[in-house]
């Protein structure tokens, strides 16, 4: 990790500069420069690990993941930014670092559709590729040299993100805007109980939902559990929780705010442990919800991309609700949540892993998909023709410790620009933090709202 002074200098330089998109954005071959070699399948980066080239979680300037691309005759080489003279190359069927003067360091680079590329050993049909996934396991870390196909598609992601100025207010689309988001917004100790007594002493936030709205929070992460009373907001379970808040109460607060502020937009994220019928009945109690609920599934977003914010506001579509629940389990139950306006988050967003560490000691700033394991591979880089998922960037710890949250929140803009934005190849839409009142994360939101990622 860089020193605090270096972090501040990097963040200041990034915030002050609007970088012109590199010429490779519209060209067949990337321009010379510093890149991450990023798998289109997994979203993970090629990293030098003692000579072995492996796919690792994206980690900014750490972990030997940056490569300097340059022409070498009719081919190209990718020299390690950390080890001069050492290039991404091959030995047999394994990807290795080799001397940049070696024939095994040369690659032919060709477009593979969209903004993806293939890297092929000259004069052969052998490509840099992710090793095939064994049954029931994740993709191996060690990168391979093998046949063409989907596993051999790569992004060459610029280390310094290409950006453009934010469009005027009447032109910017939903995916171009960044929103301050409160992790466990309900766990504030102001609106009601949220956990057993001991856990109640360490709230994720210290201001109630109404104050959060007044302070500019526009994303709300809420955990819901099922009790005989309906969908209740609690952490882990509602057992032993004194005076918990019902979901409909907090949703009503948000709807009332939107009614009073017709130019504002908000999003609710549900960590969802209730039956679909229970959730439907709970939301039916919210007065005016249908007046502001936004339904991207009914407005052609998957085909045409996200609409302009001005159009959403003009139409009154100003509240988006996501659930992390499984669509498959709802289909088995005979009632899907999107039938009553709650969107399945994995259909519409990508999200990085939720924790940076315990809250004490070392931190992990790497940025990789929360939905990447032996059974699921939804990379942060996921895109579809005409559609780019919204990016939920989590920036918090296992436990909320005041001093740690304050420090973490001062580094939010730097992590977003230097770690998570290149990892996702898109700008964060939602910056989710604990204790948003500490470290001024709103300033990070303001910084990100000065530009867009092409």
């Amino acid at each position: 990790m860089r020193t605090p002074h270096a972090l501040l200098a990097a963040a200041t330089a990034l915030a002050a500069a609007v970088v012109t998109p590199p010429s490779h954005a519209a060209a067949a071959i990337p321009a010379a420069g510093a890149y991450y070699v990023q798998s289109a399948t997994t979203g993970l980066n090629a990293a030098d690990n003692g000579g072995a080239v492996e796919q690792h979680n994206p980690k900014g300037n750490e972990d030997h993941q940056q490569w300097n691309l340059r022409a070498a005759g009719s081919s190209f080489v990718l020299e390690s930014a950390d080890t001069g003279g050492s290039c991404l190359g091959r030995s047999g069927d394994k990807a290795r670092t080799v001397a940049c003067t070696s024939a095994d360091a040369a690659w032919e680079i060709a477009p593979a559709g969209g903004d993806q590329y293939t890297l092929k050993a000259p004069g052969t049909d052998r490509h840099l590729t992710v090793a095939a996934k064994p049954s029931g396991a994740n993709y191996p870390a060690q990168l391979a040299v093998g046949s063409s196909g989907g596993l051999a598609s790569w992004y060459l992601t610029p280390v310094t993100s290409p950006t453009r100025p934010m469009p005027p207010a009447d032109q910017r689309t939903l995916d171009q805007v960044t929103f301050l988001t409160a992790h466990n917004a309900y766990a504030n100790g102001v609106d009601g109980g949220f956990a057993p007594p001991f856990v109640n002493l360490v709230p994720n936030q210290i201001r109630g939902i109404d104050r959060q709205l007044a302070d500019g929070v526009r994303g709300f992460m809420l955990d819901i559990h099922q009790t005989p009373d309906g969908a209740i907001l609690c952490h882990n379970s509602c057992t032993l929780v004194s005076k918990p808040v019902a979901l409909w109460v907090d949703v009503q607060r948000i709807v009332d705010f939107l009614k009073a502020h017709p130019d504002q937009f908000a999003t609710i994220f549900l960590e969802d442990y209730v039956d679909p019928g229970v959730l439907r009945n709970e939301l039916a109690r919210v007065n005016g919800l249908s007046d502001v609920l936004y339904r991207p599934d009914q407005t052609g977003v998957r085909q045409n991309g996200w609409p302009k914010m001005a159009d959403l506001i003009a139409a009154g579509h100003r509240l988006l609700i996501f659930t992390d629940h499984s669509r498959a389990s709802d289909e088995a139950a005979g009632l899907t949540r999107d039938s009553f306006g709650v969107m399945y988050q994995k259909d519409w967003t990508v999200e990085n892993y939720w924790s940076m560490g315990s809250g004490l000691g070392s931190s992990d700033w790497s940025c990789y998909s929360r939905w990447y394991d032996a059974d699921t591979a939804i990379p942060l880089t996921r895109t579809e023709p005409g559609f780019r998922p919204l990016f939920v960037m989590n920036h918090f710890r296992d436990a909320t410790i005041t001093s740690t949250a304050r420090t973490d929140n001062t580094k939010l803009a730097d992590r977003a620009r230097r770690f998570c934005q290149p990892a996702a190849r898109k700008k964060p839409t939602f910056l989710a933090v604990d204790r948003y009142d500490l470290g001024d994360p709103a300033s990070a939101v303001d910084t990100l709202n000065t530009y867009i990622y092409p």
Side-chain angles (χ1 to χ4, degrees):
M1 187 67 66
R2 295 181 183 178
T3 64
H5 292 297
L7 287 171
L8 179 60
T12 301
L14 284 169
V18 175
V19 181
T20 301
S23 60
H24 79 265
I29 302 299
Y35 293 88
Y36 300 106
V37 180
Q38 191 171 19
S39 168
T41 300
T42 67
L44 306 185
N45 288 344
D48 176 14
N49 185 14
V53 179
E54 301 174 345
Q55 57 171 347
H56 289 184
N57 296 333
K59 209 167 185 178
N61 63 312
E62 304 173 5
D63 196 37
H64 312 296
Q65 296 184 6
Q66 297 183 359
W67 307 89
N68 292 318
L69 174 70
R70 68 173 188 272
S74 61
S75 301
F76 296 86
V77 295
L78 288 152
E79 183 175 16
S80 170
D82 298 317
T83 310
S86 179
C87 281
L88 191 161
R90 54 202 173 271
S91 177
D93 62 355
K94 304 292 185 184
R96 301 281 302 178
T97 52
V98 298
C100 293
T101 54
S102 167
D104 287 328
W107 299 98
E108 293 178 356
I109 297 178
D115 50 359
Q116 298 174 18
Y117 298 91
T118 58
L119 281 71
K120 184 172 74 73
T124 75
D125 194 30
R126 299 170 63 243
H127 295 73
L128 180 67
T129 182
V130 174
K133 181 178 181 179
S135 178
N138 214 329
Y139 294 99
Q142 173 69 55
L143 295 177
V145 180
S147 60
S148 60
L151 296 181
S153 291
W154 299 89
Y155 296 110
L156 294 174
T157 301
V159 167
T160 300
S161 294
T163 63
R164 290 183 287 136
M166 176 69 85
D170 62 345
Q171 295 298 312
R172 63 192 61 167
T173 55
L174 177 59
D175 58 320
Q176 293 174 336
V177 180
T178 300
F179 300 94
L180 179 60
T181 300
H183 171 237
N184 287 353
Y186 67 96
N188 53 62
V190 175
D191 295 327
F194 61 90
F198 178 75
V199 181
N200 260 342
L201 298 175
V202 191
N204 297 95
Q205 311 297 337
I206 62 165
R207 296 172 179 173
I209 296 294
D210 286 336
R211 176 66 184 275
Q212 292 177 33
L213 286 159
D215 288 345
V217 174
R218 293 295 179 266
F220 302 86
M221 293 182 168
L222 308 176
D223 294 7
I224 54 173
H225 294 266
Q226 189 166 317
T227 75
D229 296 322
I232 306 300
L233 295 164
C234 305
H235 192 66
N236 294 330
S237 80
C238 293
T239 303
L240 302 179
V241 177
S242 175
K243 298 180 180 179
V245 177
L247 172 65
W248 77 267
V249 172
D250 273 356
V251 177
Q252 188 70 67
R253 290 183 170 115
I254 295 168
V255 169
D256 289 347
F257 176 87
L258 293 175
K259 292 275 191 170
H261 301 82
D263 61 341
Q264 296 299 303
F265 185 93
T267 304
I268 295 172
F269 298 89
L270 299 177
E271 186 172 317
D272 190 343
Y273 302 99
V274 307
D275 295 334
V278 170
L279 180 57
R280 180 182 59 183
N281 293 340
E282 189 77 9
L283 294 177
R285 302 178 66 181
V286 180
N287 293 324
L289 176 60
S290 62
D291 296 335
V292 296
L293 189 61
Y294 172 41
R295 297 288 303 267
D297 58 328
Q298 296 182 350
T299 52
V301 170
R302 298 303 284 261
Q303 295 75 37
N304 304 315
W306 296 98
K308 296 175 183 177
M309 292 295 299
D311 292 342
L312 287 171
I313 289 168
H317 299 159
R318 297 184 292 114
L319 178 61
L320 185 54
I321 305 179
F322 290 119
T323 176
D324 69 351
H325 207 83
S326 162
R327 175 189 288 276
S329 66
D330 283 352
E331 290 172 343
L335 177 64
T336 61
R337 290 162 210 251
D338 53 7
S339 68
F340 51 89
V342 176
M343 301 294 101
Y344 292 97
Q345 191 179 341
K346 289 182 182 178
D347 292 345
W348 301 98
T349 75
V350 293
E351 179 177 342
N352 66 304
Y353 183 69
W354 60 273
S355 174
M356 295 191 296
S358 66
L360 290 172
S362 62
S363 59
D364 181 3
W365 277 32
S366 63
C367 217
Y368 58 100
S369 178
R370 184 174 187 173
W371 304 319
Y372 181 82
D373 55 33
D375 301 314
T376 308
I378 302 177
L380 289 182
T381 54
R382 185 186 77 183
T383 57
E384 300 171 19
F387 171 71
R388 179 158 55 179
L390 305 179
F391 175 22
V392 181
M393 178 183 155
N394 295 312
H395 186 80
F396 47 83
R397 308 292 186 118
D398 297 2
T400 307
I401 298 172
T402 298
S403 59
T404 304
R406 178 181 290 107
T407 300
D408 285 347
N409 288 348
T410 64
K411 300 176 180 179
L412 180 56
D414 184 58
R415 184 179 181 225
R417 292 289 302 261
R418 192 159 55 88
F419 285 70
C420 293
Q421 185 169 278
R425 295 177 55 84
K426 57 181 72 74
K427 189 176 79 169
T429 317
F430 302 95
L431 291 182
V433 298
D434 283 336
R435 292 298 303 274
Y436 77 88
D437 58 299
L438 301 175
D440 196 14
S443 66
V445 174
D446 291 342
T447 296
L448 267 67
N449 278 328
T450 63
Y451 70 89
I452 61 174
Y453 188 103

